[in-house]
Amino acid sequence: MKIPTRTQGHFSKSLLLSALILALWMPQGSQAALHIQKIPEQPQKNQDLLLSVQGVPDTFQDINWYLGEETYGGTRLFTYIPELLRPQRDGSAMKQRDIVGFPNGSMLLRRAQPTDSGTYQVAITINPAWTMKAKTEVQVAEKHKDLPGAHLPMNAGIVAAIIIGSLAAGALLIGSIACLLVTRGWRGQSHRMTTTENSERGPSHNTGNNNAYELMSSPVFLVSPLSDKRSTNSALTLHVPAPLQPEPENHQYQDLLNPDPAPYCQLVPP
């Protein structure tokens, strides 16, 4: 049976259109099938990061990893060709990074740094017309941050111990200072009381070094030795009482001439 030419051309166009639609649909479906899992999800500085690719078919030609939004030679990290003895071929974006590729499409980034953060893309070539792709965002933290709730009991215990220890040390220090101040005040008060009592009692007369004689005021004026005439004159001048005025020689005769009538007036005749 002979197929008409017009029908044959129509069938060829339909087959070509179906193949084109299938070719356009397969990469999209293949890209959706791949998935990249980050281990750990939040990498820290100097920590190893594994980008595990899931959904890789059993057979493929090569694997290409890229760092950046675009996929070209300048952003290629490495190419993995499983048929070669040395399957990994580093690209221009590798630089000083330490990356290891695996046959299942995964890659290991050793000692990740904050500068390694960015968009990582993988392209697995199944055949010249079929390439599977996937990408993920990586953010390497500068400092280590514990997850919420991680090591909470231990951290709470350490914090509580530090607080209690600080309070105890502070209380001990304050108590020591207060005790020292009270002791010094008591000693000073005791010393002042002792000094006051000694001053009230006066000097002691029982000590052997003190003079056994007490000082007493003498009613008699002491005369200094003859050698110190100046001292003697001054002493006599200051302390010797003034001499009595001499009475007149006719004092007795004056009594006879001027008798006191008082005794005679007391005689009354009987």
Side-chain angles (χ1 to χ4, degrees), residues 56-193:
V56 180
D58 296 335
T59 58
F60 56 87
Q61 292 182 355
D62 56 37
I63 301 172
N64 293 278
W65 275 95
Y66 302 90
L67 177 57
E69 294 292 340
E70 299 180 359
T71 57
Y72 65 97
T75 60
R76 185 172 63 88
L77 291 171
F78 67 94
T79 299
Y80 192 91
I81 304 175
E83 296 179 355
L84 301 179
L85 295 177
R86 297 180 59 186
Q88 182 172 332
R89 302 295 177 88
D90 295 341
S92 59
M94 177 68 77
K95 296 181 180 180
Q96 301 298 326
R97 296 180 176 89
D98 187 3
I99 297 177
V100 178
F102 297 96
N104 60 355
S106 302
M107 61 160 280
L108 176 64
L109 175 60
R110 295 175 178 173
R111 298 181 62 83
Q113 301 297 320
T115 54
D116 296 329
S117 302
T119 302
Y120 285 78
Q121 298 192 49
V122 61
I124 301 177
T125 303
I126 307 301
N127 54 53
W130 185 9
T131 302
M132 303 176 68
K133 296 180 180 180
K135 65 180 179 179
T136 185
E137 294 291 333
V138 174
Q139 185 66 37
V140 181
E142 180 69 26
K143 295 182 180 179
H144 180 73
K145 296 180 181 179
D146 293 333
L147 295 177
H151 308 292
L152 183 59
M154 182 177 64
N155 291 341
I158 293 175
V159 171
I162 292 174
I163 293 175
I164 294 174
S166 301
L167 293 176
L172 182 61
L173 179 61
I174 294 173
S176 301
I177 295 175
C179 181
L180 180 61
L181 293 176
V182 171
T183 304
R184 287 186 176 181
W186 180 80
R187 289 181 179 178
Q189 185 177 3
S190 176
H191 179 71
R192 287 194 297 269
M193 292 176 63

Side-chain angles (χ1 to χ4, degrees), residues 13 45 55 61 85 92 96 105 110 161 173 178 185 197 204 208 218 220 225 227 229 231 235 242 256:
K13 290 180 180 180
K45 183 178 179 180
Q61 292 182 355
L85 295 177
S92 59
Q96 301 298 326
R110 295 175 178 173
L173 179 61
E197 291 177 359
S204 177
S218 174
V220 181
S227 60
K229 296 180 180 181
S231 300
L256 295 176

Side-chain angles (χ1 to χ4, degrees), residues 8-28:
Q8 191 176 18
H10 181 71
F11 179 76
S12 300
K13 290 180 180 180
S14 299
L15 183 61
L16 182 60
L17 182 60
S18 300
L20 181 60
I21 293 173
L22 182 62
L24 293 175
W25 175 80
M26 285 185 64
Q28 295 178 358

